Amino acid sequence: MSAQVATSAWQCARAWLQAVFGTAPPRQAERPRQARAAADLATERLPLGQVHAQLQQGLHALALSPRQASEDEPAGAAALEQAVVQALLARDWASRQLPRRPQLLPQLIQTVNDDAGSARVMAAIIGQDPVLTGNLLRIANSPAYKVHERPVESLQRAVTLVGTEGVRQIISAVLVQPVMEVQCPQFPQFSSIIWEHALLASRGAADHARAVSGGDAFAAQWLGLTQGLGTALVMRQLTQLASAGGQEIPTALALRLLQRWSLPVAQRVAAAWELPEPVHPALQAQASGPLAASLRFGSAAAAASLLCRHGRATQGQMLALLEQSPDVPLHALRWAWRRLHGRSVETLGDVDEATCPPA
C-alpha cells in the first residue's frame, strides 16, 4: 500500500472513530504542519488495546441498536448496575446461571485430539443428535459446499465433502448456539449480532492460529465461541434483573457491563465446560501468547466485518484499523479478511490448510 493510500485510509478510519465514539484517538505530538510528511501519517499507530477496544465497543453498540448510548440514564441505573455486578461475583452464580455443558462436547474434543479420527467416527458422533445431523446436511448442501447437483443425504458423505476441520467448526457452533439465545425486547437484534460475531470470531481465530501464530486451531475456534457465550450470559443476567425490577435497560449501562464482564464470564464457562486447557489463560483480559493473539485478531476482524455488513463503516476504514495490529502480517490480514468477509455468516467456508498464505 502506498504512503498516500495508507494515509487516506487511516484518516478515514480516524473520521469513523470520531463519528461513532465522539473523540478521535490521540495523535502523536503535534509538529508544524509543513513538516508532517505523508509517510509520517501512514505509519501513525494506535495502542494495540485501543484498536481492539474500539472495535469491540462498535460491535456492542451495533448489537444494542437502534437505541443510543447517549440517552440519559434513569435514576435507578446505578443500583441496577451494582445488582448485576454482585450477581456475577456471587459464588453460586455459575451453578445457577451457566448452561449445562453440551452432551456431545467431550466426545467431540476426544475425537479432535485423536489424529486417527475419521469421517466415519465424526459421522457417528453427529448421528446421535438430530439437530446436528440436520444442520450438517443443510450446510453441506449450501452453495458454499455443494459440488454435485444431487443433494447430499448421508452423514458420511457430508463429512467427506465439508472436511474434518469444517465438521469440527460446524459441530462446535451448533453445540453452542442454543445457549446463546437472549430474549430482550429492548434490543431485538442483540442475539443475532452476538451469534454472528461468535461464528466469525471463531473462524478468524482458527485461521490466525493456522496461518500466523502456530497455535491450536481448535482451541482458538473455541475461544471465539466462548467469548460470545460470555457476552450473551452477561446480557441475560442484566435482562433478568431489569425485568424483575420493572426497569428499562439504559444502553450506556449495557455497554459498560458487556465491555467489562464478557471475558470474565467466558472464563467461567471454559472452566465449567472443561474446555481444552489452552483456552483458559487466553481468555484473560491482558493475556499474551499465540492463542491470545488469535482471539484478539479473530474478535477484532469479526467485529470489523459486521460493522461493514451492517453499514456502520467501510472496508477501507476497518482494514485501516486492523492494519494497526502487530498480531498479523499485512499479507495474512488480507487473506484472512477475504475468507472472513467474503462469505455469508451462515455458510462459513471449509478449511483448506493448503490455502494458508506463506509466512
Side-chain angles (χ1 to χ4, degrees):
M1 182 181 292
S2 69
Q4 184 176 2
V5 173
T7 298
S8 176
W10 177 226
Q11 288 173 333
C12 287
R14 288 177 61 86
W16 178 81
L17 291 173
Q18 176 76 44
V20 173
F21 301 109
T23 57
R27 303 180 69 94
Q28 297 174 337
E30 287 297 327
R31 292 176 287 166
R33 184 183 300 272
Q34 61 270 25
R36 297 181 59 84
D40 288 330
L41 289 171
T43 57
E44 188 175 339
R45 293 275 171 181
L46 286 179
L48 176 60
Q50 188 173 351
V51 173
H52 297 147
Q54 296 285 20
L55 287 170
Q56 195 74 5
Q57 188 172 351
L59 168 74
H60 291 157
L62 173 65
L64 296 171
S65 63
R67 300 189 52 162
Q68 301 298 316
S70 58
E71 296 172 355
D72 292 336
E73 294 190 25
L80 176 59
E81 182 171 11
Q82 184 178 9
V84 173
V85 171
Q86 289 178 343
L88 293 173
L89 289 173
R91 290 186 177 183
D92 63 344
W93 180 85
S95 61
R96 291 185 294 104
Q97 297 292 343
L98 280 185
R100 292 184 179 180
R101 181 178 65 178
Q103 185 176 359
L104 295 180
L105 181 57
Q107 292 176 265
L108 171 64
I109 293 175
Q110 182 179 0
T111 304
V112 167
N113 291 331
D114 180 7
D115 293 335
S118 65
R120 179 180 57 80
V121 174
M122 300 292 287
I125 293 175
I126 299 167
Q128 299 176 49
D129 190 316
V131 175
L132 280 176
T133 300
N135 276 282
L136 179 63
L137 291 176
R138 175 179 56 79
I139 292 176
N141 283 293
S142 70
Y145 295 102
K146 192 172 183 180
V147 295
H148 299 291
E149 291 185 4
R150 295 181 59 186
V152 178
E153 297 178 348
S154 74
L155 276 176
Q156 189 159 345
R157 178 61 176 156
V159 171
T160 301
L161 280 177
V162 173
T164 303
E165 290 292 344
V167 168
R168 289 168 181 167
Q169 290 183 6
I170 294 168
I171 295 177
S172 301
V174 174
L175 287 176
V176 169
Q177 186 177 19
V179 296
M180 286 191 65
E181 294 293 331
V182 179
Q183 300 299 324
C184 187
Q186 280 185 250
F187 308 110
Q189 67 176 18
F190 180 85
S191 284
S192 63
I193 294 294
I194 295 304
W195 171 238
E196 288 175 350
H197 180 262
L199 279 180
L200 290 172
S202 66
R203 170 63 179 275
D207 278 353
H208 184 278
R210 289 189 192 89
V212 180
S213 71
D216 183 335
F218 182 69
Q221 174 195 338
W222 269 97
L223 282 169
L225 293 172
T226 308
Q227 178 180 265
L229 184 53
T231 301
L233 290 172
V234 172
M235 178 56 78
R236 183 177 298 173
Q237 183 66 70
L238 173 58
T239 301
Q240 288 176 354
L241 290 176
S243 177
Q247 296 174 263
E248 285 204 351
I249 301 173
T251 306
L253 168 59
L255 280 172
R256 289 197 300 273
L257 290 171
L258 292 173
Q259 292 287 104
R260 178 182 175 188
W261 287 98
S262 291
L263 280 179
V265 171
Q267 292 176 52
R268 297 170 82 169
V269 173
W273 285 13
E274 299 179 357
L275 294 179
E277 187 59 35
V279 167
H280 300 241
L283 286 168
Q284 297 174 7
Q286 303 300 323
S288 60
L291 277 178
S294 293
L295 175 60
R296 281 194 300 268
F297 171 75
S299 182
S305 178
L306 283 173
L307 289 166
C308 291
R309 292 170 190 263
H310 290 268
R312 297 298 182 91
T314 67
Q315 288 197 55
Q317 290 169 339
M318 294 298 92
L319 284 171
L321 284 179
L322 293 174
E323 286 173 7
Q324 302 297 302
S325 172
D327 286 339
V328 56
L330 185 58
H331 72 279
L333 168 61
R334 291 172 177 170
W335 169 82
W337 180 259
R338 286 195 300 270
R339 283 171 56 79
L340 196 70
H341 193 64
R343 296 179 184 270
S344 66
V345 176
E346 182 181 78
T347 55
L348 295 178
D350 58 325
V351 174
D352 180 358
E353 294 188 15
T355 65
C356 290

